[in-house]
Amino acid sequence: MKSKTVDQSRVIMSNLMMPEHANPAGNVHGGEIMKLMDNAAGVVAQRHARTNIVTARVDALKFHHPIRVNNVITCYGQLTFVGKSSMEIAVTVTVEDLSKEEPAKTALTSFFTFVALDENGVPQTVPSLEINTEEERRSWEAGQQRYLSYKQEQKEYLATQTQSQSNTAGREDRK
């Protein structure tokens, strides 16, 4: 399987925020923006894997600047790390007030992890990520650290669940 570059899957998507995206005060709901971020990350993942993908994790979602009705948001998505079947995508959202002559501001940032699936819903191998710049290398190394940390968290969680289930089974056996 041939590796792919970060640029081959990068995406930029813009949307105008309308009243249906906001509360009565005109502030756009965070969930609306998260959905757009998930869509952008999904496009990146599918461009890279060229197969069915699913969101597995959303991490480090940070709100930096409010978004209001009539603002234009732009989602920038790019791969940071690729495992065997998983892909981490960094998504940055900028907000622009079209009524003002000001540069766009960073509104949200997050990391999305997607897993590639075959036609039976089983995780499948994805192309490796070709690293071409120092910035891409730093992003890949940070993504790898997050990936390893998530794997350790999952292992610990499963161990506590197994222990909890065996404790429950033990109590049931004594009844």
Side-chain angles (χ1 to χ4, degrees):
M1 186 174 286
K2 190 174 181 216
S3 66
K4 294 183 177 180
T5 66
V6 172
D7 288 341
Q8 286 178 278
S9 60
R10 189 182 317 259
V11 71
I12 301 171
M13 300 169 74
S14 294
N15 291 278
L16 176 63
M17 296 294 94
M18 302 298 286
E20 63 267 20
H21 301 127
N23 64 24
N27 297 305
V28 174
H29 297 291
E32 293 284 346
I33 305 304
M34 291 166 56
K35 179 181 175 184
L36 295 170
M37 294 172 80
D38 190 47
N39 286 338
V43 169
V44 172
Q46 194 148 18
R47 277 182 175 169
H48 186 76
R50 297 296 178 182
T51 189
N52 185 36
I53 46 89
V54 293
T55 308
R57 184 179 177 102
V58 179
D59 191 51
L61 181 66
K62 295 179 185 167
F63 292 81
H64 304 285
H65 196 275
I67 300 171
R68 303 203 27 91
V69 170
N70 293 326
N71 287 168
V72 171
I73 65 144
T74 303
C75 296
Y76 298 87
Q78 70 178 38
L79 282 165
T80 54
F81 176 78
V82 172
K84 183 177 177 182
S85 62
S86 66
M87 299 158 281
E88 182 188 75
I89 297 102
V91 179
T92 300
V93 176
T94 62
V95 59
E96 181 182 359
D97 184 342
L98 296 177
S99 68
K100 298 178 181 172
E101 194 65 46
E102 296 176 353
K105 297 175 176 78
T106 299
L108 286 89
T109 55
S110 187
F111 294 101
F112 287 75
T113 301
F114 280 76
V115 174
L117 302 175
D118 67 14
E119 60 279 351
N120 298 312
V122 176
Q124 90 174 29
T125 303
V126 297
S128 60
L129 189 61
E130 184 179 313
I131 304 301
N132 291 316
T133 68
E134 185 60 28
E135 181 181 338
E136 290 173 1
R137 185 187 63 73
R138 282 192 302 272
S139 292
W140 191 89
E141 288 173 354
Q144 182 182 41
Q145 289 303 312
R146 284 186 294 274
Y147 172 81
L148 294 172
S149 176
Y150 303 153
K151 287 289 188 189
Q152 183 61 35
E153 286 175 22
Q154 184 67 13
K155 186 188 241 183
E156 291 169 5
Y157 171 77
L158 291 174
T160 60
Q161 291 303 305
T162 302
Q163 181 62 39
S164 177
Q165 289 171 355
S166 85
N167 288 344
T168 302
R171 285 194 298 271
E172 292 296 318
D173 290 342
R174 289 187 291 248
K175 287 184 179 179

